Amino acid sequence: MEKNWIRRLLLWPLVAALLAVVASAALPERLTPVGRTVGIRLESDGLVVVGFEETRSAARDAGLKMGDTIKRVNGEDVDSCERFKMLAAAAGGEPLKLELLRDGKTVEAVVQPEQDGETYRLGLMLRDGMAGIGTVTFYDPDTGLYGALGHGVNELQSMVLLPLAYGEILPSQVVEVQKGEGGAPGILKGAFDVEERLGEVDANTCHGIFGKADEALSDDAPISVASAGEVHTGSATILSNVEGDKVESFTVEITKLFPAGQDMGRNLLLTITDPRLLQATGGIVQGMSGSPILQDGKLIGAVTHVLVDNPAQGYGIFIENMLESCPAYCEAA
């Protein structure tokens, strides 16, 4: 009996190793790096609490917190701020029973609105979606899958990952660049066409947004995908769209690598060395997140963050870590 237990225990490392091989085999070996900006429109799954009135707030007094997601009001689903206002008005000043999602757990709260003349106030600010531009990192011509940003879309006040109900990517053009300076990050200002869709956003994760494109997002040929262990310090390039809809290649220098455990979209530190990009943007600016990073002919990662005090420098995520956050590839594993 004892020997059987020993055999079983000795088998566990082998089983774990086999599972790891299966999981890694599901990740694609070749992808097309893209580098084009797209409009990103997301609708939240519930309403995110983004703030309270400074003086008096019945909602804050009832225990609501920044980043809470309101799912139901008096038993009714809410999917927009207008729907919330309608249900609150219909209550006529009576207490509102709210069902919230907080840190993955369901919480209930009862809010007694405060009368203000002929109206009632909750002292509550909500968000039901977000829109902006970002950069597509890769497109998989075999499946139509794409990934963008290299980091998640967070609600700006609470910094909570926006819970996704529906999203789409749209054609865009960069119409203006606000250059980055020390202490003031720059930004790409874009215009996007709300009448034409390029694809759906199926997942908003801490390592990027993912979905399936309605059409090819690039005509370029796919290239090999590098593992984290293949990435090294030294010269590299990024693909970025900082004017109109034109994607260009710019030189960078990877100056430092970080252990895989210190993730959060900061696996490598890079410095923009291309004088054309420094002239155009001052370095890395908002909207460039997701710009694919290439080294030794392989796709190695994506730009994720800028150093506020030095916009010529920023962080990137290993493409391996980004792909492992894509639900479609995880399901395939």
Side-chain angles (χ1 to χ4, degrees):
M1 183 72 173
E2 184 177 349
K3 290 183 179 178
N4 287 336
W5 276 108
I6 292 173
R7 289 195 190 99
R8 291 176 187 176
L9 289 171
L10 290 175
L11 281 173
W12 275 111
L14 177 60
V15 172
L18 287 173
L19 288 174
V21 170
V22 172
S24 63
L27 298 180
E29 296 181 356
R30 297 176 68 83
L31 291 170
T32 300
V34 180
R36 67 182 282 188
T37 61
V38 291
I40 301 170
R41 190 174 71 85
L42 306 180
E43 296 176 4
S44 63
D45 184 12
L47 309 180
V48 181
V49 176
V50 299
F52 304 96
E53 289 186 3
E54 291 186 8
T55 52
R56 293 291 303 274
S57 171
R60 182 172 52 209
D61 293 344
L64 270 70
K65 298 181 179 181
M66 291 273 285
D68 284 348
T69 301
I70 300 175
K71 303 285 288 184
R72 292 178 182 82
V73 177
N74 291 339
E76 300 284 339
D77 292 342
V78 286
D79 56 6
S80 69
C81 292
E82 289 303 315
R83 172 76 171 159
F84 182 90
K85 291 177 183 178
M86 184 187 74
L87 292 172
E94 292 297 313
L96 299 178
K97 183 179 179 181
L98 307 182
E99 185 178 311
L100 317 168
L101 195 63
R102 178 185 298 162
D103 298 327
K105 298 179 180 179
T106 299
V107 178
E108 291 187 351
V110 177
V111 182
Q112 174 59 62
E114 294 183 354
Q115 190 165 4
D116 182 12
E118 297 182 357
T119 63
Y120 294 91
R121 301 181 66 85
L122 298 174
L124 179 65
M125 289 177 278
L126 302 170
R127 185 183 292 277
D128 58 11
M130 297 183 72
I133 70 166
T135 300
V136 178
T137 305
F138 69 82
Y139 170 71
D140 188 339
D142 291 334
T143 62
L145 294 172
Y146 74 87
L149 299 183
H151 60 68
V153 177
N154 294 332
E155 195 290 309
L156 298 180
Q157 281 79 18
S158 66
M159 293 308 295
V160 169
L161 199 67
L162 190 75
L164 180 67
Y166 172 78
E168 57 187 6
I169 55 172
L170 312 161
S172 75
Q173 291 208 7
V174 176
V175 296
E176 183 183 347
V177 177
Q178 181 178 312
K179 292 181 68 171
E181 300 177 352
I187 188 171
L188 299 179
K189 296 183 179 181
F192 47 89
D193 183 359
V194 296
E195 301 297 325
E196 184 180 351
R197 195 185 81 161
L198 292 175
E200 283 194 10
V201 180
D202 298 323
N204 178 28
T205 79
C206 60
H207 290 160
I209 63 170
F210 304 94
K212 194 162 188 177
D214 297 338
E215 58 187 65
L217 298 179
S218 173
D219 294 328
D220 292 342
I223 64 175
S224 296
V225 172
S227 67
E230 294 178 87
V231 183
H232 58 84
T233 57
S235 60
T237 60
I238 64 172
L239 301 180
S240 291
N241 171 198
V242 297
E243 179 186 353
D245 58 2
K246 181 170 61 174
V247 177
E248 298 179 88
S249 176
F250 300 101
T251 58
V252 302
E253 185 82 8
I254 298 175
T255 57
K256 191 172 182 179
L257 302 177
F258 299 92
Q262 298 177 3
D263 194 7
M264 301 302 291
R266 293 176 171 88
N267 295 136
L268 58 87
L269 182 67
L270 59 86
T271 301
I272 304 297
T273 57
D274 198 305
R276 295 172 302 141
L277 187 57
L278 291 170
Q279 175 65 31
T281 65
I284 300 169
V285 298
Q286 297 176 42
M288 284 174 60
S289 292
S291 296
I293 309 171
L294 280 60
Q295 187 179 62
D296 300 332
K298 296 183 178 183
L299 175 61
I300 69 165
V303 175
T304 56
H305 301 85
V306 61
L307 292 183
V308 175
D309 293 335
N310 182 7
Q313 288 190 311
Y315 292 100
I317 184 174
F318 293 145
I319 191 65
E320 182 177 83
N321 289 344
M322 187 174 176
L323 292 173
E324 287 175 350
S325 291
C326 178
Y329 294 129
C330 292
E331 289 168 5

